Amino acid sequence: MAFADVLVPLMLLSLVSPSCSCTEQEEGSLLQFLAGLSRDNGLTALWHNDTDCCEWEGITCSSDGAIIEVSLASRGLEGHVSPSLGGLSNLQSLNLSCNSFSGDLPSELLASRSIIVVDVSFNRLSQVLQPQDCNSSVSDYRPLQVLNISSNLFTGEFPSVAWEKMSNLVVLNASNNNFQGLMPSSFCISSSLLAVLDLTYNQFSGNMPGSLGKCSALRVLKAGHNNLTGQLPDELFNASSLEYLSFPNNGLDGVLDDARITNLRNLSKLHLGGNMLIGKLPDTIGQLTRLEELLMSDNNMSGELPSALSNCTNLVTIDLKGNRFTGELTKVNFSNLINLRTLDVLYNKFTGTIPESIYSCSNLNALRLSGNSLHGQLSPRIVDLKSLSFLSISSNKFTNITNMLRILQNSSSITTLLIGGHNFNGEAMPGDDIIAGFQNLQVLSISGCSLSGKIPFWLSKLKSLKMLFLQKNQLSGPIPAWIKNLELLFYLDISNNRLTGEVPLALMEMPMLKSEKATTDVDPSAFERTVYIARGLQYRKLNAVPKLLNLGNNKLTSVIPKEIGQLKSLNVLNFSMNSLSGEMPLQLCSLTNLQVLDLSSNHLTGEIPLELNKLNFLAEFNVSNNDLKGPIPTGGQFDTFPDSSYERNPKLCRVTVDQLCGSAEPSAVSVLSTEQIDRRVAFWIGFGAFFGVGILHDQLVLSKFRGIMDTMGFNIVL
Ligand SMILES: *[C@@H]1O[C@H](CO)[C@@H](O)[C@H](O)[C@H]1NC(C)=O
Ligand SMILES: *[C@@H]1O[C@H](CO)[C@@H](O)[C@H](O)[C@H]1NC(C)=O
Ligand SMILES: *[C@@H]1O[C@H](CO)[C@@H](O)[C@H](O)[C@H]1NC(C)=O
Ligand SMILES: *[C@@H]1O[C@H](CO)[C@@H](O)[C@H](O)[C@H]1NC(C)=O
Ligand SMILES: *[C@@H]1O[C@H](CO)[C@@H](O)[C@H](O)[C@H]1NC(C)=O
Ligand SMILES: *[C@@H]1O[C@H](CO)[C@@H](O)[C@H](O)[C@H]1NC(C)=O
Ligand SMILES: *[C@@H]1O[C@H](CO)[C@@H](O)[C@H](O)[C@H]1NC(C)=O
Ligand SMILES: *[C@@H]1O[C@H](CO)[C@@H](O)[C@H](O)[C@H]1NC(C)=O
Ligand SMILES: *[C@@H]1O[C@H](CO)[C@@H](O)[C@H](O)[C@H]1NC(C)=O
């Protein structure tokens, strides 16, 4: 609202066509600004000194020829922001966002007595912000209302005191910088106009200042992804205009105060996930009737859900995953929550059954109840949820999978169905007499259920299937040849079963694994919620999921078909712990996208193809416990694999400079003492190229990806 007040006069002014030309002094200021650019991207050519500078690209003048707006966003400019712009004494709006300006933001601009809006977001400005003009002898009046310095490289402490003079500030967005020290607190001491304060993604630490409670006009307060600690200060709840309160991923502790939270009647978004909050969700939350998003995941909250939650009829998203909530979900009457789209209670301690009232939530799009202790059989009413596309009920105590699948196959909306991690009392995999096939499934997990029987034929009718998790069951019989008819399938984990027979040639025909062009995207709406592989590990974007074929730990007895070379886009191949015999086919060297190759614990003979060292992205390699002979490949990624990759192959040997393989008695694999290459770097290279990003990729992402690789096939998808 307040921001609109700022814009309207500006827009009116900019409609007035200039009748007077700009002064020489103003032109000089602009040319000085131009001189500060190291890359002008053609601007100099457009700013002729023989034309009126009011006509210049990006410049707007008032009717009397004074420059009131400089608007040069997304112009590809590089260099410094010249303090000369501060000399434009009528300038009201400066927009330099989305360029590559570096250096500091001149204090002249912040201390200007005319500028109302400064937007320098998305640049590379750094250094400490100095809003105070020390030389200013004139009045301290600062009309600045909107300051957007987000997504820059500003560091240092946020100079709190200096901001006291900014008595007209309405919007401050300083998110996505490197500010440190205490969160600034003095904003509303001299003024109470501040409506939007965004400090997300910085390194602010210490307690949250209570004085923000004085900001009576504050609607949006965001400070997530910092290092804030302590409790939410009581005074904060005096900021009763707050609509959006967001502090996720900090170190906040304490309880949500049941009395004070009711002051925030206007609250529509409450984001406190990823902190260390304890205690209950207060009953009084029912008084926040405007609440739309309640995000409290990954805290240490406990107790039962308050039944008053059903009074929050505007709720769209409830995310309580990763807490210690107990009791029955039936305490909440979900029929009232007609706007609910996402309910996520993954990893809590809820008991009882799925509340019947939830089947009235006709807008429900994602329901994740996995990792609790819910029991009972699935209600046929679940197909009433016509908008439901993501359903995860894994790792609970539900019974009767036959009933479950028979019901769910009638849903045409579900694209992701995760029901693994159950002990269905020794039931067999429901067969084709019961299940006809699902309509739109893209992701199906029935892993970890100890199901016996065969891989059922009804799966062959799931034409949209992209990922299939059937690992950790007791499935027997051969791998069916129809698997190649699933044209979109790129992730198949049938490891840890009792499958027999050969590695079928049909597997070598899987279209998604043959085509290097085909990408591994899955219906994004289904995966906005992310798939949990194991606690703490999650896929953020599904296109980060590798193409995988995991047949490990079965009873397969053939050779590895030469046709394996066709699976050009495969990233992970795991045939370990079977009874495969014969040689490692040379064609493995064609799998140029491989990152993981595990053929360990089989009966493979012959030599390791030396050309495997051309697989530049290979990060894990294991042929241990076979009967291989001859030299171990060297060069490329092979200089990085540990000895354990080869152990228990008595006839394998390592070629070194002074020892030819086979010349002496083949020594058991010796220690790679001279190994110089940092394995991590080698992995980075593979990883970076695979995802089309630079080599120096964020290590966090790297370790997550590694973690996923390590746990792949073991954990139940939740
Ligand atoms: C315009 O710029 C050119 C070259 O930069 C300079 O030679 C000329 O004197 C300038 N003219 C005026 C009127 O400032
Ligand atoms: C600055 O320009 C960018 C790009 O046109 C625009 O998205 C942004 O809203 C502008 N900033 C302000 C404060 O109007
Ligand atoms: C910077 O913030 C202002 C105020 O919130 C906003 O109007 C503007 O669009 C933002 N700039 C960009 C590039 O998003
Ligand atoms: C602040 O700027 C960031 C971009 O840097 C934007 O994503 C965010 O939405 C802005 N915050 C507010 C409250 O507008
Ligand atoms: C918060 O508001 C209450 C009244 O609602 C008042 O008694 C109290 O002094 C205020 N606290 C602060 C720190 O402003
Ligand atoms: C969660 O709270 C309980 C006490 O309520 C405590 O024993 C436990 O250590 C806490 N867990 C974490 C991770 O802080
Ligand atoms: C739940 O709410 C609905 C709609 O408001 C109502 O009809 C129903 O009786 C309530 N159920 C319970 C158990 O209170
Ligand atoms: C499982 O559900 C089916 C209906 O789909 C039913 O016929 C069968 O009796 C149920 N089994 C048990 C053990 O409840
Ligand atoms: C391959 O699968 C087997 C059996 O599930 C497992 O033990 C092994 O760790 C997997 N290999 C890799 C590299 O993940």
PDB file of all heavy atoms in Angstrom, residues 122 150-151 173 175 196 198 220 222, ligand 4:
ATOM      1  N   PHE A 122      20.769  -7.061  -7.385  1.00  0.00           N
ATOM      2  CA  PHE A 122      21.406  -7.917  -8.395  1.00  0.00           C
ATOM      3  C   PHE A 122      22.591  -7.228  -9.067  1.00  0.00           C
ATOM      4  O   PHE A 122      22.619  -7.014 -10.271  1.00  0.00           O
ATOM      5  CB  PHE A 122      20.386  -8.396  -9.447  1.00  0.00           C
ATOM      6  CG  PHE A 122      19.282  -9.215  -8.860  1.00  0.00           C
ATOM      7  CD1 PHE A 122      18.065  -8.642  -8.531  1.00  0.00           C
ATOM      8  CD2 PHE A 122      19.468 -10.565  -8.602  1.00  0.00           C
ATOM      9  CE1 PHE A 122      17.044  -9.396  -7.964  1.00  0.00           C
ATOM     10  CE2 PHE A 122      18.458 -11.318  -8.039  1.00  0.00           C
ATOM     11  CZ  PHE A 122      17.246 -10.736  -7.724  1.00  0.00           C
ATOM     12  N   SER A 150      19.309  -5.863  -2.367  1.00  0.00           N
ATOM     13  CA  SER A 150      19.390  -7.323  -2.273  1.00  0.00           C
ATOM     14  C   SER A 150      20.280  -7.903  -3.360  1.00  0.00           C
ATOM     15  O   SER A 150      20.524  -7.282  -4.389  1.00  0.00           O
ATOM     16  CB  SER A 150      17.990  -7.927  -2.382  1.00  0.00           C
ATOM     17  OG  SER A 150      17.480  -7.731  -3.675  1.00  0.00           O
ATOM     18  N   SER A 151      20.761  -9.102  -3.106  1.00  0.00           N
ATOM     19  CA  SER A 151      21.587  -9.834  -4.070  1.00  0.00           C
ATOM     20  C   SER A 151      22.792  -9.045  -4.538  1.00  0.00           C
ATOM     21  O   SER A 151      22.988  -8.782  -5.730  1.00  0.00           O
ATOM     22  CB  SER A 151      20.736 -10.296  -5.262  1.00  0.00           C
ATOM     23  OG  SER A 151      19.744 -11.168  -4.801  1.00  0.00           O
ATOM     24  N   ASN A 173      15.107  -3.949   1.351  1.00  0.00           N
ATOM     25  CA  ASN A 173      15.434  -5.331   1.021  1.00  0.00           C
ATOM     26  C   ASN A 173      16.956  -5.463   0.939  1.00  0.00           C
ATOM     27  O   ASN A 173      17.584  -4.974   0.010  1.00  0.00           O
ATOM     28  CB  ASN A 173      14.785  -5.726  -0.317  1.00  0.00           C
ATOM     29  CG  ASN A 173      14.886  -7.217  -0.570  1.00  0.00           C
ATOM     30  OD1 ASN A 173      15.692  -7.911   0.064  1.00  0.00           O
ATOM     31  ND2 ASN A 173      14.084  -7.723  -1.497  1.00  0.00           N
ATOM     32  N   SER A 175      18.352  -8.541   1.442  1.00  0.00           N
ATOM     33  CA  SER A 175      18.540  -9.993   1.431  1.00  0.00           C
ATOM     34  C   SER A 175      19.665 -10.413   0.506  1.00  0.00           C
ATOM     35  O   SER A 175      20.048  -9.684  -0.400  1.00  0.00           O
ATOM     36  CB  SER A 175      17.241 -10.676   0.982  1.00  0.00           C
ATOM     37  OG  SER A 175      16.967 -10.369  -0.366  1.00  0.00           O
ATOM     38  N   VAL A 196       8.201  -3.158   4.973  1.00  0.00           N
ATOM     39  CA  VAL A 196       8.817  -4.380   4.468  1.00  0.00           C
ATOM     40  C   VAL A 196      10.300  -4.393   4.837  1.00  0.00           C
ATOM     41  O   VAL A 196      11.032  -3.467   4.487  1.00  0.00           O
ATOM     42  CB  VAL A 196       8.678  -4.483   2.929  1.00  0.00           C
ATOM     43  CG1 VAL A 196       9.395  -5.712   2.408  1.00  0.00           C
ATOM     44  CG2 VAL A 196       7.214  -4.484   2.510  1.00  0.00           C
ATOM     45  N   ASP A 198      13.445  -7.113   4.596  1.00  0.00           N
ATOM     46  CA  ASP A 198      13.889  -8.446   4.183  1.00  0.00           C
ATOM     47  C   ASP A 198      15.401  -8.560   4.361  1.00  0.00           C
ATOM     48  O   ASP A 198      16.177  -7.893   3.673  1.00  0.00           O
ATOM     49  CB  ASP A 198      13.492  -8.684   2.714  1.00  0.00           C
ATOM     50  CG  ASP A 198      13.692 -10.145   2.298  1.00  0.00           C
ATOM     51  OD1 ASP A 198      14.391 -10.878   3.031  1.00  0.00           O
ATOM     52  OD2 ASP A 198      13.154 -10.547   1.252  1.00  0.00           O
ATOM     53  N   VAL A 220       5.828  -7.088   6.430  1.00  0.00           N
ATOM     54  CA  VAL A 220       6.664  -8.206   6.001  1.00  0.00           C
ATOM     55  C   VAL A 220       7.991  -8.154   6.745  1.00  0.00           C
ATOM     56  O   VAL A 220       8.715  -7.158   6.656  1.00  0.00           O
ATOM     57  CB  VAL A 220       6.929  -8.138   4.478  1.00  0.00           C
ATOM     58  CG1 VAL A 220       7.840  -9.275   4.042  1.00  0.00           C
ATOM     59  CG2 VAL A 220       5.624  -8.154   3.697  1.00  0.00           C
ATOM     60  N   LYS A 222      11.298 -10.598   7.167  1.00  0.00           N
ATOM     61  CA  LYS A 222      11.941 -11.849   6.773  1.00  0.00           C
ATOM     62  C   LYS A 222      13.420 -11.817   7.143  1.00  0.00           C
ATOM     63  O   LYS A 222      14.125 -10.883   6.768  1.00  0.00           O
ATOM     64  CB  LYS A 222      11.805 -12.070   5.257  1.00  0.00           C
ATOM     65  CG  LYS A 222      10.368 -12.147   4.784  1.00  0.00           C
ATOM     66  CD  LYS A 222      10.265 -12.201   3.269  1.00  0.00           C
ATOM     67  CE  LYS A 222      10.720 -13.552   2.733  1.00  0.00           C
ATOM     68  NZ  LYS A 222      10.598 -13.588   1.247  1.00  0.00           N
TER      69      LYS A 222
HETATM   70  C1  LIG B   4      14.048  -9.125  -1.839  1.00  0.00           C
HETATM   71  O1  LIG B   4      14.826  -9.354  -2.990  1.00  0.00           O
HETATM   72  C2  LIG B   4      14.913 -10.707  -3.389  1.00  0.00           C
HETATM   73  C3  LIG B   4      15.787 -10.793  -4.617  1.00  0.00           C
HETATM   74  O2  LIG B   4      17.086 -10.439  -4.311  1.00  0.00           O
HETATM   75  C4  LIG B   4      13.535 -11.213  -3.688  1.00  0.00           C
HETATM   76  O3  LIG B   4      13.592 -12.585  -4.027  1.00  0.00           O
HETATM   77  C5  LIG B   4      12.645 -11.039  -2.481  1.00  0.00           C
HETATM   78  O4  LIG B   4      11.343 -11.449  -2.807  1.00  0.00           O
HETATM   79  C6  LIG B   4      12.617  -9.591  -2.060  1.00  0.00           C
HETATM   80  N1  LIG B   4      11.857  -9.463  -0.821  1.00  0.00           N
HETATM   81  C7  LIG B   4      10.693  -8.847  -0.738  1.00  0.00           C
HETATM   82  C8  LIG B   4      10.051  -8.827   0.592  1.00  0.00           C
HETATM   83  O5  LIG B   4      10.163  -8.340  -1.705  1.00  0.00           O
END
